[in-house]
Amino acid sequence: MDAFPHHYKVTASAASEGNVTLSAEGVPDLPSAPPAQFDGPGDQWSPEDLLVAAVSDCFILTFRAIAKHSKLDWTSLECTTTGTLDKDGRTTCFTAFTIEATLVVPEGTDTDKAQRLLEKSEQGCLVTNSLKAEVSLSAEVTTS
């Protein structure tokens, strides 16, 4: 891992109508549009979707690193995150994120350890640590 601080640079560009194009070095461009709730087409990634996706993605990547360091064998992890966009006084913002995680581990795995590592991952996720909204985790560990 590189030394801190890390820097991430994304460029957003758009005309007066149509998609916003998100670009960053080394990755394909990503079109973006407002969600249906804001009169957008609803069939493309929106800034709201991308923020909620970042929570799920970061949770899984954090878990992957923690599980590897803790020598926990696992088969799969599915994470569904729901972000609640609401009014906080006069400000529209995300007020909560709920992470529902289902972890499958091999038979004979210490499921209590797996549960603790899921909780540690929620606490260590750099995306959720950067948000002011409440984050809650509902995690289930099953064996395969």
Side-chain angles (χ1 to χ4, degrees), residues 108-140:
T109 300
D110 182 348
T111 57
D112 289 337
K113 177 181 179 180
Q115 182 71 36
R116 286 191 308 274
L117 296 182
L118 286 167
E119 292 166 6
K120 187 174 182 179
S121 299
E122 186 272 319
Q123 296 164 359
C125 173
L126 67 93
V127 170
T128 58
N129 286 338
S130 302
L131 302 171
K132 69 178 185 175
E134 178 183 330
V135 178
S136 60
L137 170 66
S138 172
E140 176 185 0

Side-chain angles (χ1 to χ4, degrees), residues 1 8 53-69 74 77-79 99 101 117-118 120-122 124-127:
M1 182 167 73
Y8 301 88
V55 170
S56 285
D57 193 19
C58 185
F59 176 80
I60 288 176
L61 294 174
T62 302
F63 177 79
R64 184 183 284 169
I66 290 172
K68 182 177 182 178
H69 180 75
W74 57 286
L77 174 57
E78 182 172 299
C79 177
I99 302 168
L117 296 182
L118 286 167
K120 187 174 182 179
S121 299
E122 186 272 319
C125 173
L126 67 93
V127 170

Side-chain angles (χ1 to χ4, degrees):
M1 182 167 73
D2 292 347
F4 288 106
H6 299 175
H7 301 278
Y8 301 88
K9 184 177 179 180
V10 174
T11 300
S13 58
S16 61
E17 296 288 326
N19 291 341
V20 173
T21 300
L22 306 173
S23 57
E25 189 175 324
V27 296
D29 288 354
L30 180 66
S32 167
Q37 297 89 332
F38 286 104
D39 299 325
D43 62 351
Q44 297 177 58
W45 285 96
S46 70
E48 295 82 358
D49 294 324
L50 291 167
L51 178 59
V52 175
V55 170
S56 285
D57 193 19
C58 185
F59 176 80
I60 288 176
L61 294 174
T62 302
F63 177 79
R64 184 183 284 169
I66 290 172
K68 182 177 182 178
H69 180 75
S70 300
K71 297 180 178 29
L72 177 78
D73 290 328
W74 57 286
T75 306
S76 66
L77 174 57
E78 182 172 299
C79 177
T80 301
T81 301
T82 303
T84 301
L85 186 70
D86 203 352
K87 290 279 194 176
D88 183 9
R90 299 183 67 163
T91 304
T92 302
C93 62
F94 279 94
T95 57
F97 293 89
T98 301
I99 302 168
E100 295 178 14
T102 302
L103 175 66
V104 179
V105 296
E107 190 71 39
T109 300
D110 182 348
T111 57
D112 289 337
K113 177 181 179 180
Q115 182 71 36
R116 286 191 308 274
L117 296 182
L118 286 167
E119 292 166 6
K120 187 174 182 179
S121 299
E122 186 272 319
Q123 296 164 359
C125 173
L126 67 93
V127 170
T128 58
N129 286 338
S130 302
L131 302 171
K132 69 178 185 175
E134 178 183 330
V135 178
S136 60
L137 170 66
S138 172
E140 176 185 0
V141 178
T142 63
T143 57
S144 57

